[in-house]
Amino acid sequence: GAGVSQSPRYKVAKRGQDVALRCDPISGHVSLFWYQQALGQGPEFLTYFQNEAQLDKSGLPSDRFFAERPEGSVSTLKIQRTQQEDSAVYLCASSLAGTGPRGYTNEQFFGPGTRLTVL
Amino acid sequence: GNSVTQMEGPVTLSEEAFLTINCTYTATGYPSLFWYVQYPGEGLQLLLKATKADDKGSNKGFEATYRKETTSFHLEKGSVQVSDSAVYFCALSASGSARQLTFGSGTQLTVLP
């Protein structure tokens, strides 16, 4: 597709349920990022992939959060045993550049997000 | 670590008024700086960027200049329109890589006709 797509757009989960959020990046984009955006706040970094390799997961808030990108394209963010504090919009972004010289552009293109509400 | 401090909102202006949204940052090295915009019901969109000191990013009448001496990247527009109503986010990324963005908390702009 022309842009980054995410599904589902809205997800309501009962506390304790597991959820899986999907991201389809722009075709050919090497880098993929997940962010969490709480209501009224800016997005906060969760994790970063370069192709299929997860190079940085320092932003994942707990071991209940897990992300994968097995074939270097589609990515899934999984949250186990959801808690109310997990309620947020989860944003996916992709970019052309991987690590490299400063000359690479590092513009990120964002998907519409998945709004997760945990009851 | 890296951080972005953004002028808190909300900001309400009349059409054709001058807009400034302040943004300052803390980072090591030479980060790239960005302004993203989030229109109602839409995803984040890149508005403009600057990758080195004294660069001016511009788009759709918006401008921001990368000021290393004051660690600032203030967003300006000379004459706002109703269609500019949105949330604006200042952000940075570490120099020399395509790593994560660090965002400010966002500024809600409402432009009244």
Side-chain angles (χ1 to χ4, degrees):
Chain A
V4 178
S5 60
Q6 292 186 246
S7 60
R9 291 293 309 277
Y10 303 90
K11 177 68 179 178
V12 179
K14 292 183 179 179
R15 188 163 57 93
Q17 283 185 330
D18 297 348
V19 298
L21 312 179
R22 177 187 170 104
C23 172
D24 283 84
I26 294 173
S27 178
H29 277 195
V30 170
S31 300
L32 186 144
F33 305 79
W34 284 99
Y35 295 85
Q36 180 189 58
Q37 186 177 15
L39 188 64
Q41 299 299 313
E44 293 191 355
F45 169 76
L46 294 177
T47 187
Y48 159 64
F49 290 85
Q50 183 176 328
N51 296 307
E52 69 278 4
Q54 189 174 21
L55 298 187
D56 188 343
K57 53 182 180 179
S58 61
L60 295 177
S62 77
D63 59 7
R64 296 185 296 103
F65 286 70
F66 171 77
E68 60 183 5
R69 192 186 185 198
E71 297 179 358
S73 179
V74 171
S75 177
T76 303
L77 177 66
K78 298 179 180 179
I79 309 173
Q80 297 177 325
R81 305 180 303 281
T82 53
Q83 304 294 315
Q84 285 188 326
E85 62 264 27
D86 300 335
S87 296
V89 176
Y90 290 86
L91 298 172
C92 176
S94 68
S95 70
L96 270 174
T99 55
R102 182 173 169 77
Y104 285 164
T105 180
N106 51 7
E107 177 178 347
Q108 295 181 25
F109 297 84
F110 283 80
T114 294
R115 181 177 297 278
L116 172 65
T117 303
V118 181
L119 302 176
Chain B
N2 300 331
S3 67
V4 175
T5 301
Q6 193 174 334
M7 171 180 166
E8 291 189 11
V11 174
T12 302
L13 296 174
S14 297
E15 204 165 25
E16 300 183 0
F18 184 85
L19 169 70
T20 299
I21 302 177
N22 290 336
C23 172
T24 58
Y25 67 90
T26 301
T28 55
Y30 301 91
S32 295
L33 301 175
F34 305 84
W35 278 99
Y36 277 83
V37 59
Q38 191 168 36
Y39 297 103
E42 298 184 17
L44 278 168
Q45 302 174 25
L46 179 65
L47 180 59
L48 54 84
K49 69 176 182 180
T51 57
K52 62 182 187 295
D54 299 325
D55 267 2
K56 178 185 285 188
S58 61
N59 186 27
K60 300 182 180 180
F62 291 89
E63 293 183 339
T65 301
Y66 188 145
R67 301 287 189 199
K68 189 163 177 63
E69 64 275 16
T70 54
T71 62
S72 65
F73 193 54
H74 305 320
L75 182 68
E76 297 183 337
K77 186 174 185 181
S79 177
V80 293
Q81 305 300 313
V82 172
S83 57
D84 294 327
S85 298
V87 182
Y88 293 81
F89 293 93
C90 185
L92 67 83
S93 70
S95 56
S97 70
R99 301 302 178 98
Q100 68 266 29
L101 293 165
T102 300
F103 286 88
S105 57
T107 301
Q108 171 77 56
L109 170 66
T110 301
V111 181
L112 302 176

